[in-house]
Amino acid sequence: MKICNICHKISATSQDHLDCVQKRSIELENEDFKNSIPEKLNLSKDTQDLGVEVRAILEHLTKNKD
């Protein structure tokens, strides 16, 4: 028995819980995807060509969780 490094609850095995590991990997993939959005759309060059709605959506998607 040990403590899971992710959720800090008791684990019956000597490893982290499988669902905790999967949740963490999904969160990391989502973070990588959010960080790559501007690069994929070439937003670093000129954001004025996009509509106001599209810019608002992209800003919302790229915000960090609080």
Side-chain angles (χ1 to χ4, degrees):
M1 293 182 76
K2 80 167 213 159
I3 302 292
C4 177
N5 292 322
I6 300 167
C7 69
H8 306 293
K9 294 181 181 177
I10 296 174
S11 175
T13 64
S14 62
Q15 299 176 349
D16 295 333
H17 299 119
L18 290 176
D19 57 333
C20 293
V21 172
Q22 290 173 346
K23 182 179 178 184
R24 179 182 271 174
S25 70
I26 290 170
E27 288 173 351
L28 291 175
E29 287 174 11
N30 287 343
E31 189 67 30
D32 291 341
F33 177 73
K34 282 193 236 178
N35 291 337
S36 68
I37 289 174
E39 296 169 2
K40 289 180 181 178
L41 297 176
N42 288 331
L43 293 181
S44 59
K45 294 181 180 177
D46 188 17
T47 59
Q48 301 304 318
D49 292 340
L50 298 174
V52 176
E53 299 87 2
V54 174
R55 280 187 287 184
I57 291 170
L58 291 174
E59 288 175 10
H60 175 74
L61 289 174
T62 57
K63 285 184 182 176
N64 291 332
K65 287 184 178 179
D66 291 334

